[in-house]
Amino acid sequence: MERVVKTLELEPLYQIKIVCPQCEQEFQTSRVRPSLKKAIRTDSDFCAYYKNENPDFYVVRVCPHCGFTSTEHSTAQLSDQQTKLFKDKIGNRWQPREYSGHRSWEEALETYKLGLLCAQVIGEKERVVASLLQHIAWMYRYQGNEEQELRFLKFSLDSYVRVYELEGVGANNAKLLYLIGELHRRTGDFNEAVRWFSRVINDKKIMDAAMIRASREQWTVLREQMLAKNYQLPEEMQNASSS
């Protein structure tokens, strides 16, 4: 007699418990299982695409009790001033709602915009703000909304430049320099893109081989774009290679 053994498929989402930094109440939020996080492809600015649940839909944590919205990189404990600012601008008008289960594209976008609003109100770290803006741009890219994608890419670029101005360049900032170059390329400021990619390629202090390679690849893409549009190539691009 044959036995049919059914393979149990794990649900793609699981719940984690969070203690809200603002109201200190516990709530649950969804995450995508690590085993299902492998992207089928990734864009040159790190926007990833997935076969099933997109982990980026679940980055933001929304407290259903008070509305405070954050990510795992956000401030872990609010000051009295930040708490007051949040309550005055957002908390006192919050209508309880849940984002703890599966999120549609619309719900994921709502969480990012809530996260951005909270971050701006409390004066969150610039890196967190920049990342939220970039993720919002990706959300619009998933839907093919090029106008809104470009709008938020520009906001994100401005924010990442402020991160650079605050932190300066260091051995660990190659990814930041590369990203600023790539966002300049994507938003059409080709000369600035050349300048930032050049920093990654030519700065001897930068040892990040992956980012150096990526900068060289995008340098080539950028050169072809500029030639196709009949742009005057900057001096460092006159030769075919970036070396």
Side-chain angles (χ1 to χ4, degrees), residues 64-150:
H65 309 292
C66 71
F68 187 76
T69 307
S70 60
T71 74
E72 64 182 18
H73 300 296
S74 299
T75 299
Q77 187 171 4
L78 303 188
S79 67
D80 291 343
Q81 176 66 10
Q82 287 175 317
T83 296
K84 183 179 185 307
L85 287 168
F86 169 77
K87 287 181 178 177
D88 289 347
K89 299 288 187 180
I90 301 172
N92 291 338
R93 284 171 275 186
W94 175 251
Q95 298 294 319
R97 70 194 91 157
E98 277 282 351
Y99 293 96
S100 60
H102 166 80
R103 291 177 185 173
S104 64
W105 176 87
E106 291 81 4
E107 289 168 332
L109 181 63
E110 281 178 21
T111 66
Y112 275 112
K113 290 190 173 180
L114 280 169
L116 178 62
L117 179 61
C118 283
Q120 291 172 330
V121 163
I122 69 167
E124 183 58 91
K125 298 183 292 288
E126 195 66 43
R127 269 190 184 266
V128 173
V129 173
S131 178
L132 289 166
L133 287 164
Q134 187 181 20
H135 277 81
I136 293 172
W138 293 347
M139 294 299 296
Y140 283 116
R141 186 181 303 172
Y142 293 139
Q143 293 294 101
N145 188 333
E146 294 181 5
E147 181 180 352
Q148 288 296 332
E149 178 197 342
L150 183 62

Side-chain angles (χ1 to χ4, degrees), residues 18 22 49 59 82 90 93 101 240 243:
I18 303 292
Q22 199 289 126
Y49 301 81
V59 166
Q82 287 175 317
I90 301 172
R93 284 171 275 186
S243 56

Side-chain angles (χ1 to χ4, degrees), residues 26-236:
E26 189 175 84
F27 67 94
Q28 290 191 327
T29 191
S30 292
R31 300 289 295 271
V32 174
R33 294 189 184 280
S35 60
L36 301 177
K37 281 187 176 182
K38 187 175 180 179
I40 54 176
R41 67 183 176 91
T42 304
D43 290 340
S44 53
D45 62 348
F46 312 117
C47 176
Y49 301 81
Y50 299 86
K51 184 177 179 181
N52 297 308
E53 287 283 1
N54 187 333
D56 283 342
F57 281 29
Y58 302 92
V59 166
V60 180
R61 306 160 169 184
V62 184
C63 175
H65 309 292
C66 71
F68 187 76
T69 307
S70 60
T71 74
E72 64 182 18
H73 300 296
S74 299
T75 299
Q77 187 171 4
L78 303 188
S79 67
D80 291 343
Q81 176 66 10
Q82 287 175 317
T83 296
K84 183 179 185 307
L85 287 168
F86 169 77
K87 287 181 178 177
D88 289 347
K89 299 288 187 180
I90 301 172
N92 291 338
R93 284 171 275 186
W94 175 251
Q95 298 294 319
R97 70 194 91 157
E98 277 282 351
Y99 293 96
S100 60
H102 166 80
R103 291 177 185 173
S104 64
W105 176 87
E106 291 81 4
E107 289 168 332
L109 181 63
E110 281 178 21
T111 66
Y112 275 112
K113 290 190 173 180
L114 280 169
L116 178 62
L117 179 61
C118 283
Q120 291 172 330
V121 163
I122 69 167
E124 183 58 91
K125 298 183 292 288
E126 195 66 43
R127 269 190 184 266
V128 173
V129 173
S131 178
L132 289 166
L133 287 164
Q134 187 181 20
H135 277 81
I136 293 172
W138 293 347
M139 294 299 296
Y140 283 116
R141 186 181 303 172
Y142 293 139
Q143 293 294 101
N145 188 333
E146 294 181 5
E147 181 180 352
Q148 288 296 332
E149 178 197 342
L150 183 62
R151 177 170 170 247
F152 279 94
L153 282 180
K154 288 178 177 177
F155 290 150
S156 175
L157 172 57
D158 290 344
S159 191
Y160 277 123
V161 170
R162 285 194 290 276
V163 172
Y164 171 77
E165 290 169 348
L166 289 167
E167 297 182 4
V169 63
N172 297 323
N173 261 349
K175 186 174 181 179
L176 173 63
L177 298 182
Y178 164 80
L179 186 55
I180 292 173
E182 178 59 14
L183 293 180
H184 275 300
R185 186 190 72 80
R186 285 178 173 268
T187 55
D189 193 340
F190 294 162
N191 287 323
E192 277 296 296
V194 171
R195 189 164 72 89
W196 289 90
F197 287 142
S198 295
R199 290 185 179 191
V200 182
I201 294 166
N202 297 319
D203 190 332
K204 301 304 181 187
K205 295 192 298 293
I206 292 177
M207 307 297 288
D208 189 329
M211 288 300 99
I212 293 171
R213 183 171 59 252
S215 294
R216 289 183 181 278
E217 290 170 355
Q218 293 313 101
W219 174 290
T220 302
V221 171
L222 179 58
R223 188 175 188 278
E224 291 171 356
Q225 280 184 293
M226 295 178 78
L227 287 172
K229 292 178 179 289
N230 295 317
Y231 281 27
Q232 177 65 41
L233 293 179
E235 186 176 342
E236 59 264 53

